Amino acid sequence: MRVTAYCEQCECELTFDSETDHELETACHNCQTPVRIAFSDRILQENMVDACPSCGKRAFYVQKDFNRNLGLGIVVICAIIGLYFVWVDRPFLFYAALGFAVVIDTLLYLLLPEVTVCYPCKAVFRGAKRNPEHKGFDLHILDVYEGRSQGYSDPS
Ligand SMILES: [Zn+2]
Ligand SMILES: [Zn+2]
């Protein structure tokens, strides 16, 4: 699997591959902050995420690998085309253009693969086998990791 982690200091993206980077000490290519990555046995042997190689925590959610800018871009372009049809007095085609945008967005969403994301450090895992324990995004769990709620104990 491929992992995209973020530098603690400058938040720039750091990418690793569990096939080649088993355990390593490296430094952020931007600010030189030391970075330590250690893949768990389960990641190496089963290609399944159980512990974060970047922060060591065990809280993850699963989401579609959807690029919001791309999705928004499609809608904006179709809306502009639709407005052109309004201008040339073809209102039906305006709705057709909007419908087309919705269909394309939906198709993209269905076809896109799922990614696993670490709650505490936002590292993203692509190409991993889905761990059945990981569910969709839950704001309560994020609150725990961002220190906004008390009374929860860290599950890791
Ligand atoms: Zn950095
Ligand atoms: Zn993490």
Side-chain angles (χ1 to χ4, degrees):
M1 71 181 73
R2 279 157 298 119
V3 181
T4 304
Y6 296 90
C7 171
E8 290 174 18
Q9 206 62 39
C10 70
E11 297 185 350
C12 70
E13 284 189 8
L14 309 161
T15 51
F16 305 95
D17 192 323
S18 66
E19 303 269 300
T20 50
D21 309 321
H22 289 169
E23 185 156 356
L24 56 108
E25 309 252 358
T26 178
C28 169
H29 51 77
N30 187 38
C31 69
Q32 312 308 319
T33 300
V35 178
R36 212 181 106 77
I37 289 289
F39 290 106
S40 69
D41 290 344
R42 203 150 175 210
I43 290 178
L44 295 176
Q45 283 154 25
E46 298 176 43
N47 197 39
M48 191 181 279
V49 184
D50 65 335
C52 179
S54 175
C55 70
K57 298 277 189 343
R58 293 167 180 270
F60 303 92
Y61 61 92
V62 179
Q63 68 171 29
K64 287 280 182 176
D65 197 3
F66 189 69
N67 186 324
R68 286 202 169 78
N69 293 332
L70 177 67
L72 198 65
I74 292 168
V75 172
V76 168
I77 289 167
C78 289
I80 291 169
I81 294 170
L83 286 177
Y84 168 77
F85 288 127
V86 171
W87 187 57
V88 296
D89 206 14
R90 291 272 196 288
F92 171 74
L93 290 176
F94 167 72
Y95 291 109
L98 288 190
F100 184 71
V102 171
V103 169
I104 293 288
D105 265 15
T106 308
L107 275 180
L108 262 181
Y109 190 81
L110 291 175
L111 292 173
L112 284 167
E114 285 181 325
V115 293
T116 303
V117 186
C118 174
Y119 276 105
C121 75
K122 310 284 185 293
V124 180
F125 304 80
R126 292 188 170 85
K129 210 191 293 172
R130 182 172 175 171
N131 186 332
E133 289 165 24
H134 299 161
K135 302 284 183 288
F137 180 76
D138 184 339
L139 195 61
H140 293 296
I141 300 177
L142 184 70
D143 282 349
V144 173
Y145 284 102
E146 300 205 329
R148 282 199 296 266
S149 73
Q150 269 91 44
Y152 284 85
S153 59
D154 189 328
S156 67

